[in-house]
Amino acid sequence: MNSSEFDHLLSERLAQFHQHNLLRKLRQIDGPQAIHIQIDGKPRLNFSSNDYLGLANDPALKSQAANAVALYGAGSGSSRLICGSLSVHHELETALARFKQTEAALTFSAGYAAALGAITALVGKGDVIVIDRLAHACIVDAARLSGARLLVYPHNDMDRLEQILRRLDRGAQKPSPASRARILIATESVFSMDGDLAPLRDLADLKDRYGAWLMVDEAHATGLYGPNRRGLIEDQKVSDRIEVQMGTLSKAIGSSGGFICGSRLLIDCLINRARTFIFSTAPCPASAAAAIAALQVIASPEGTHRLDHLRRLAGRFSEGMAKIGDATARSSPPATRLDPPFRAIHPWILGEESAALQMSTRLDQAGFLVPAIRFPAVAKGAARLRITFTSNHTFEEVESLLKALDPSQTT
Ligand SMILES: *Cc1c(COP(=O)(O)O)cnc(C)c1O
């Protein structure tokens, strides 16, 4: 194929994306990650960041990152197994294990890499992985890559999950525990695009009953839920029942990188088998140091203060949206048996991709950054606005967003 054919094919694909309202473009942001940002020289109020505790541009994180650059340099040099296992990575892992109250932790260059590495290390051909229909792409991709049989249960549907497990149980000939197919259940705890919660206690009960393992992705819960902000696992009091706890350093923790927490044996296995750990250069020292600083802020009175503010902001928005929703019947967060203690993530499901795009454009013109979330991030026809809050927002800013969203207030 010559290059003009190649170009032709690519431009046809892009035209298709455009035609289906699924084309994405990057928006350049001038300046740091923050609530007030500049796009194309115009100010926007940002309601789309996962920097829930406003730590990404926090002075404490920045100074620790800068110290780490001074101490360790900019790069890590190699994979951790070759010569990149710098003391800052070990310090972070000790801090993460203490924070999550597990025996050990292992960090990766991203949450995506953590999922890919852990799942493919734990299950393979002949095994089974059972995931929630709305589980994050990194879990889906990892499951496919692992070679295990992939089964999907409807979102948070414990009856259907039990049916699947029962069927697997019946089908399994159990000559010896060692040769038995392993079953891994994987879910998010707080769902990234809907903001609702997985019933972790029910999941833990089921996996115990059927001899499966459970992996929980706490990307949107770490730092936010539970008495010590360890995550939903702590909030739902199942800390000692989950085999694999996964998280990212890039959301409430304000840095970048991913991690797995669990037993010492689990972590030793991952060091030996997780290919995204073995064959990838260690995370840069600055991001590890920033994450350590973030864990300190989260555990401090300042961290508590930020979270309280975020809770109140999110509560005020939920109240306001309930009114708008009642008036228009357009706001439809999915039904869930568990009400989150608070919602830092508010989906406003608009259905058609074009409807979500229109709404997002209207908000953009009014000075708000709330991107349209579309396929493949969510199902086709389930396009939405995904509104997120951080502790750096003010009540006035939340009121102004509510006003912009309220169709009765627009002409
Ligand atoms: C963001 C996210 C990840 C990936 O984490 P990164 O550190 O950004 O790679 C994994 N799972 C969920 C649910 C996420 O939202």
Side-chain angles (χ1 to χ4, degrees), residues 50 109-113 115 136 138-139 188 190-193 217-220 246-251 256-258 386:
N50 298 318
S109 54
Y112 190 100
H136 191 263
C138 66
I139 294 174
E188 293 176 45
V190 173
F191 285 85
S192 60
M193 295 299 139
D217 177 352
E218 294 252 70
H220 297 275
M246 176 195 150
T248 172
L249 303 169
S250 63
K251 284 159 186 165
S256 88
R386 174 181 180 268

Side-chain angles (χ1 to χ4, degrees), residues 174-206:
K174 298 165 206 163
S176 72
S179 65
R180 208 181 139 182
R182 270 151 273 272
I183 302 170
L184 175 67
I185 303 168
T187 183
E188 293 176 45
S189 62
V190 173
F191 285 85
S192 60
M193 295 299 139
D194 293 86
D196 61 338
L197 312 182
L200 296 182
R201 279 192 160 262
D202 297 350
L203 280 159
D205 289 346
L206 281 178

